[in-house]
Structure formats: C-alpha cells, structure tokens
Amino acid sequence: MGVTRLDPATQQAGQRVVLVTGPSGAGRTTAIGALEDLGYEPIINLPLSLIPRLLLGHIGPPVALGVDVRGRDFSVSALIEMIDALTREPDLNLELLYLDARPDVLERRYSETRRRHPLSPDEPPEFGIAQEIDILAPIKVRADVLIDSSEMSPHDLRAELGRFFDTGKIEKLAVSVHSFSYKRGVPRGLDLMFDCRFLANPHWEAALRPLDGRDPAVASYVEADPRYQEFYSKVIDLLLFLLPTYVAEGKSHLSVGFGCTGGQHRSVAMTQSVAKALAEAGWQVSKRHRELERKAPQGAHSKTGERA
C-alpha cells in the first residue's frame, strides 16, 4: 500500500478541483465515486480543450475531474500545459491525484474482469498496460497525491481518499424504508428485506380492511400479535448495528424493505415504526409505501415518500 502527498504546500483557498488520472484498472472509477460521495461534483472524460472553460469562473461545490488516455483530444503535453495554466489561476485550487498499481496487479484485474484494454483491444492487456504506463510517466511525476492501489481493496481506497479529500460536507448515510406487496414483486435496489407475512393480518377484520398501516387502529392490531415485539426489536437492533458499518464502508444510501401479501397493512405499519425509530436514533430516514402510491389519486401522494 502506498500513499504519498508530494507537495503539501499546494493547498490554497479557492474553487477546489481534483484531477484524477492514472492507468486503466488502478481505481479511477472507484476514486471518482468516492469523491462524489464526499461531496465533489464528478465530471468524467471531458475533452481537455473544454476543461478550462468549465472551471474558470466556476463557483460551486468541489469538482472531481476524471481524465484518461481514451479522451478524444488527450495528449500528455496538452494535459501538462492545461495543469500548468490552471495552477496559475488564483481562484482555483487544483490537485492532481494519480492512481497507480503494479503492472502484474493491473494484468490480474483485467484477467478477472475479462475487459479489453483501451490501448490494446485486439491484443493481450499487458501490451496496453505497458504502453499506458509509459505514456503517463510524465504525468505521474507531477502528481500532488500519488496512491498505489496494488494492495488496496475498494474500501481501503475510499478510506484513503477520505483522509486526503474530505470536504467536511459529506452527508450522513441516507436510509430509505419501503413497504411493498410480494404479489407485485420485490422493489428494485433493496439492500435488506424483511417478510412480515407471519404477523396477524388486519385484512381479515372487516373494520380494518379498508384502512392501511398508517392508521393507529391497524398499527395497534399488528402490534398486538405476540410475535411482533420480538420481531420489531430484533430488526431495530440489527439495523442499528449495521448502519455504522455501512458508513465505515463508505456507503451513502441504504434501502430497507418490508413486504406482506397486499402491501397495505402489516408492511406499512412496520415501515412506519422502523422509520420512526431510526429517525429518533439520529439517522436520516425517508419512507415510501409503494402499493399505497399505486392506489392514491394522481397528485395525492402527500403521505408517501416523506421524511420519517
């Protein structure tokens, strides 16, 4: 593992721009994603000729700018000339982040993903890797931050980037809690899912059938099931244990789903209770009731998709 800040004195005030480059397979995509999670605005593979026009006079969130040899007008001389010109701008704080890795590691990563190297699409990846490393050598020596990702996992790389480029403006992990009907299928993108169909079903009570889990009478009926409290407590304990670990992993959003047969009573009541408990514990929580949204008149979704 190797991380080097080559010139700490380059830190200055102004619009912060991190220019991310390095050989293919060294972690540029992971780095751009990590910087985006840290509050940077990501811009990938913009032609070099357009970058100064974008940045000069720009005032806004910090920018993570990805540049690689696939760019339409990429050349080492043009990139160095651009870096020199932007570094002289008093209102810009430009840092060059170079992601590197040993050739054997890059070859292994390409063999594992079976991707073609952009510089040798019709030849073995090692030819393109060697060519790209040679092309980028003059850029590497100009780096402000040099990270060798050879022995790093994506999580390790994200952690290192957080040390160097944290803006102090990263938001807390956003948690969304969903209710749904298994009859209509599981919502896409759920990270965790819990089945509520074992709980007593208000559907079989005539007075409760037209109501939904947001109604106190329905919630009380569901909570009266002898199995409810233990289920609820275990779910809350599990989530409160997991959420800090996801933050440490660098995750910015977690989606939790509760399903039942119709998506109207049990899953809705559970979603309401869990979202409230997580919000009271200090987490940023939103909730959504998919089946209730389907039934609601157009424009009448005021009770779904709201903050907890």
Side-chain angles (χ1 to χ4, degrees), residues 96 104 124 301:
L96 176 58
D104 63 296
H301 292 167

Side-chain angles (χ1 to χ4, degrees), residues 14 62 73 99 101 121 159 175 192 207 281 308:
D73 59 352
L99 278 302
V175 184
L192 299 170

Side-chain angles (χ1 to χ4, degrees), residues 220-236:
S220 296
Y221 183 91
V222 174
E223 293 169 10
D225 187 312
R227 299 161 295 186
Y228 172 86
Q229 189 58 50
E230 185 175 2
F231 174 57
Y232 169 80
S233 297
K234 288 183 181 295
V235 168
I236 294 299

